[in-house]
Amino acid sequence: MTKLYFVRHGLTVNNTKHAFNGAKANPELLPAGREQARKVGEYLQEIPFTAAYASPQIRALETAELILSENQHPIPSIQQEPLLKEIDFGDWDGVSIDQFANHPQLENLRHHPEKYNPSEFGGESYSAVIARGQQFIQSLPYEEGHYLIVGHGVTLTTLLQTLRQKEIAQIREDGLLDNTSITTFETVDGQSFELIDWNYCMKSSEL
């Protein structure tokens, strides 16, 4: 049995400024984001991780490092995985989301993924994100153990809804995963996945 722990990165300045935080945006974690990651590490400190994967973007890599820094077991080296990078928003990356409040593709991004067409601004489609997410999942060895996987809001939400056998139109029906939330799946073969916990977030008293 392999247990997969998917964690979205901690809080960044783009999150607080309500700006697109995609593949071309590379902010560090805010102090609050680093504290979030440490708290997740404390929560998972007894998990004997046998492998760790993270997007190479600073916010995800730093989150993974902070989580593992709290672990009570020998920790694996973090494998930087470009397939886990955030969706590419093209020319929108780093720009205020409010600037595009009336743009039809913002509505599609949030509520109609099957209609989202970012070609106008050089972005990446949900289909492309699904394809690389599946490539990542198929690349894992699925040996007995616990895997930590740290990534981003849209990419992880898209990947994990796909593991739940959701259609592309259903990708955003539960909203985005929250910063430093934990979603866990189990699998015996890397083909079928059982959801254990979805978007678990620390209570304010735990933070």
Side-chain angles (χ1 to χ4, degrees):
M1 178 73 70
T2 306
K3 192 164 186 179
L4 309 175
Y5 297 77
F6 295 93
V7 181
R8 184 185 173 190
H9 66 79
L11 199 66
T12 72
V13 65
N14 282 359
N15 297 136
T16 60
K17 288 185 175 181
H18 203 228
F20 288 100
N21 209 21
K24 292 185 175 69
N26 206 23
E28 297 179 351
L29 296 181
L30 292 172
R34 290 193 288 272
E35 182 63 16
Q36 288 175 319
R38 290 191 187 94
K39 290 297 184 181
V40 171
E42 291 174 7
Y43 178 75
L44 298 176
Q45 65 181 335
E46 295 300 331
I47 304 298
F49 288 112
T50 50
Y53 304 86
S55 158
Q57 292 177 261
I58 291 172
R59 56 194 184 273
L61 192 58
E62 188 177 5
T63 298
E65 290 170 346
L66 289 167
I67 290 172
L68 290 176
S69 73
E70 301 293 333
N71 204 265
Q72 300 301 307
H73 300 274
I75 60 174
S77 59
I78 299 170
Q79 300 182 50
Q80 296 187 39
E81 179 49 76
L83 294 171
L84 290 172
K85 291 180 72 172
E86 182 58 300
I87 190 172
D88 191 339
F89 290 117
D91 296 338
W92 284 10
D93 242 329
V95 179
S96 171
I97 295 172
D98 297 336
Q99 182 176 327
F100 299 96
N102 298 316
H103 198 292
Q105 292 308 325
L106 181 60
E107 173 70 12
N108 290 338
L109 172 70
R110 289 171 163 172
H111 303 295
H112 305 288
E114 77 283 5
K115 298 179 181 179
Y116 180 60
N117 181 357
S119 58
E120 172 190 337
F121 44 91
E124 183 180 22
S125 68
Y126 275 97
S127 295
V129 176
I130 289 171
R132 60 181 169 89
Q134 290 176 334
Q135 184 180 347
F136 168 72
I137 286 296
Q138 292 166 4
S139 74
L140 297 177
Y142 297 108
E143 299 168 348
E144 185 81 16
H146 301 77
Y147 296 179
L148 175 67
I149 301 167
V150 181
H152 305 267
V154 177
T155 295
L156 284 186
T157 299
T158 301
L159 168 58
L160 301 184
Q161 291 288 34
T162 302
L163 295 185
R164 297 173 75 186
Q165 305 298 314
K166 297 295 182 73
E167 300 293 332
I168 190 168
Q170 300 172 299
I171 293 296
R172 296 292 293 263
E173 65 180 10
D174 298 317
L176 281 185
L177 297 173
D178 294 310
N179 288 107
T180 59
S181 66
I182 306 166
T183 297
T184 52
F185 284 81
E186 288 182 346
T187 182
V188 295
D189 56 7
Q191 301 298 318
S192 59
F193 297 82
E194 179 184 359
L195 175 63
I196 305 303
D197 203 1
W198 180 264
N199 197 33
Y200 173 75
C201 297
M202 298 290 182
K203 299 176 183 177
S204 58
S205 60
E206 296 174 303
L207 292 174

